[in-house]
Amino acid sequence: MGRFVARRLLVAIPTLLAISFVMYAILALAPIDPLAGFAADPRVPPEVRENIRRSLGLDEAWPYRYVKWLLAAVQGNFGISFVSRSSVSDLLWQRLPTTLAVVGVAYIVGVIIALPAGILSAARRNTVTDHVISLSAYIGFSVPTFFTGVLLIIIFSIKLHWLTFLYDSRVTVHDLDSLVVQIKQSIMPIAVLGLFDAAILTRYIRASMLENLPLDYVRTAHAKGLAERLVVLRHVLRNSLIPVVTLVALGVPAVFGGAIVTEQIFHVPGIGALLITSIGNGDTPVVTAVVLIFAVLVVGFNLIADVLYAVLDPRVKYT
Amino acid sequence: MATAAKVSPASAGRSAVVLRAQRSLWQDAWHTFSRDRLAVTGLVVLAVITLGALVGPYVWSDQGKEIDFGLSLSGPSLAHPFGNDDLGRDLLARAMLGARVSLAVGVSAVVLAITLGTTIGAVAGYFGRLDNPLMRLTDLFLSLPVLPLLLVLVYLFKDTLQRTIGLELGTFIMIVSVIGFLNWMPTARLVRASFLTLKQREFVEAARSVGAPHGRIIFRHILPNSLSPVLVAATIGIGGAIITESTLSFLGLGFPPDQPTLGRILYEAVNYLDFAPHWAIVPGLAIFLIVLAINFIGDGLRDALDPRRKI
């Protein structure tokens, strides 16, 4: 088992290296000047611009810069933001917990909705319950996340005046009142992502249960007189969740993509919003770092899913 | 596609007892498909929207370009059934133009992704030596953070392409190729998997034994038989590509403002949600309907083309 994890880790590292290299190369070779902002400023003479370029190390060849950047990045140093003049890693550490909290809570909400929905839908196949659940799941993953967000704002903020749609990052939880404020402003961003996750998970769970239901071990369980409830919950469900783990891992990039959109709509200060702002500002060091963080998150969750799959399914050989 | 029917084991088995006129594999698939109510509904909805997007701008007198501040942000009326935006432009006309761009982007991006994916999958599945490196490449692409990378690529190459090819065509080519290049992986895996199984089958062995060259075996014998999962993936991929394009436009990194796409219209509407919610609902609902219809069609196709479901 330990060797299996180690092997998977050894595969994950070259993947990350390759991603970071490709990304850095794209950014370095792209026809965009990171100092274009200075070029438009008549107060900055060309020789000063050259000096700034040299002081930022931009006059060196990009493969050399990549190695230097990588060595620093491994130690958690992503350089200095061109725009805010603060360290990129500080910016990341301020923003990352928010994103992870929103994505994580949304995922839990998604699982809480999807588990009973998927089980019910599969156990009562081709009944009205199943049709309603399947159709809702269909609708859930066909609505783009940005439209769900806009709809929630129209309904709950503008028509009903229940919730505010601007996330206030200054709110800190210290008593009951501020906790209520925090919950009220988090409901919509989490709901957008959570409903999307729930829709996808429901479909996966339903499909996986349907594959297991006609198998022999289920018939055996029925034959020895087990109650339907126990057969479904104790036998079928456990086996059905194994493939779901892999499918969930494949969906991780989509989940983080959804997080970027959600943060943008509700002005949640996470790394997705940071990416959009930095792209707008041409802040290359921040852009590079954020994309790398997203890559690390995606590869990391894939790794966790692989290991979990091996733990859950004894038929998987640890090779 | 007659070859597909001839070599398919499903039709070979059925021919033993012929009680009705023989149907080809595709007629058979259509028969199953046409009984799927959701899939047919999806097909009708998509056909109506596509027709509206293609023909609508010629039929509807308003071109969505006339600025009339008297109508600014006004809701649906008889003259303007979907209402107007902040400049008083007709939203029905703009939505039709937007749907046209969105559908064009979706279809072109998927054509690119499918071509790439099929080529890579076929090469990996057929030529064993290239299998491992190509599949490692596929895994690498699968673990890319797609949306952040899309945003960065669009930001980096937008200006250059727009300067060299022109604003609208440049953006179109860029968005299509970026979406296509980041979405070929599922197809490659599907094609590789079916190439690996089909390669071992008797009819391929027979073709090889009579001296058919690799190209003929691949294109004439294996490829037609591995197309049905690709067709399903392509259908559903169009929906995904439309959502991706709308997301880019919604984040302000898609098409230029004077070219309405559904995502772009929604992006402009977001600041006016309190005065004119209809402005946001029209493009949002349009995207939703297109994607939902496509997903229903894709699911119907999957049921119709999957030989395991037929007895």
Side-chain angles (χ1 to χ4, degrees), chain B residues 58-261:
Chain B
Y58 299 108
V59 180
W60 186 242
S61 55
D62 202 317
Q63 288 303 305
K65 285 183 181 138
E66 276 163 55
I67 293 174
D68 180 355
F69 286 105
L71 288 167
S72 177
L73 299 178
S74 56
S77 61
L78 265 180
H80 304 283
F82 287 179
N84 304 78
D85 65 8
D86 57 339
L87 301 176
R89 292 176 293 192
D90 179 50
L91 273 176
L92 173 60
R94 287 181 69 76
M96 288 190 299
L97 290 171
R100 181 187 275 191
V101 179
S102 295
L103 286 168
V105 169
V107 172
S108 325
V110 164
V111 168
L112 180 63
I114 293 291
T115 315
L116 256 177
T118 310
T119 315
I120 293 177
V123 170
Y126 191 78
F127 301 104
R129 252 182 320 131
L130 292 169
D131 189 19
N132 203 21
L134 283 177
M135 281 303 109
R136 288 293 77 76
L137 186 75
T138 311
D139 286 346
L140 182 72
F141 267 82
L142 273 174
S143 48
L144 286 176
V146 179
L147 191 60
L149 210 63
L150 269 172
L151 293 172
V152 171
L153 286 174
V154 170
Y155 148 71
L156 289 174
F157 293 99
K158 196 174 182 179
D159 290 342
T160 323
L161 261 176
Q162 287 177 349
R163 232 179 294 123
T164 43
I165 318 181
L167 193 60
E168 288 175 11
L169 191 65
T171 320
F172 183 82
I173 290 178
M174 180 194 55
I175 289 186
V176 164
S177 44
V178 175
I179 296 179
F181 275 111
L182 288 174
N183 281 300
W184 54 267
M185 299 81 76
T187 316
R189 283 191 159 182
L190 285 172
V191 172
R192 169 185 173 264
S194 63
F195 261 68
L196 282 180
T197 28
L198 290 170
K199 192 165 75 163
Q200 313 287 340
R201 296 277 282 276
E202 290 85 351
F203 66 91
V204 175
E205 217 164 284
R208 198 174 294 133
S209 68
V210 294
H214 288 313
R216 192 175 165 79
I217 295 180
I218 290 176
F219 288 109
R220 188 98 185 121
H221 296 280
I222 305 186
L223 199 59
N225 281 296
S226 48
L227 276 185
S228 41
V230 173
L231 197 62
V232 176
T235 313
I236 292 174
I238 295 178
I242 288 176
I243 287 194
T244 311
E245 182 274 316
S246 317
T247 309
L248 285 177
S249 296
F250 180 77
L251 294 173
L253 280 160
F255 283 87
D258 52 332
Q259 188 174 23
T261 78

Side-chain angles (χ1 to χ4, degrees), chain A residues 31 138 142 146 257 261 279 282, chain B residues 147 155 160 246-247 266 292 295 299:
Chain A
Y138 245 115
S142 299
F146 52 84
V261 174
I279 285 180
Chain B
L147 191 60
Y155 148 71
T160 323
S246 317
T247 309
L266 190 55
L292 188 66
N295 283 340
D299 241 36

Side-chain angles (χ1 to χ4, degrees), chain A residues 20 50 60 68 90 122 133 165 179 226 245 250 256 273 294:
Chain A
S20 72
E50 268 321 299
E60 288 154 347
K68 278 196 356 191
D90 284 352
I133 292 174
F165 58 85
L179 182 69
L226 270 189
V245 171
L250 280 176
F256 282 113
F294 274 117

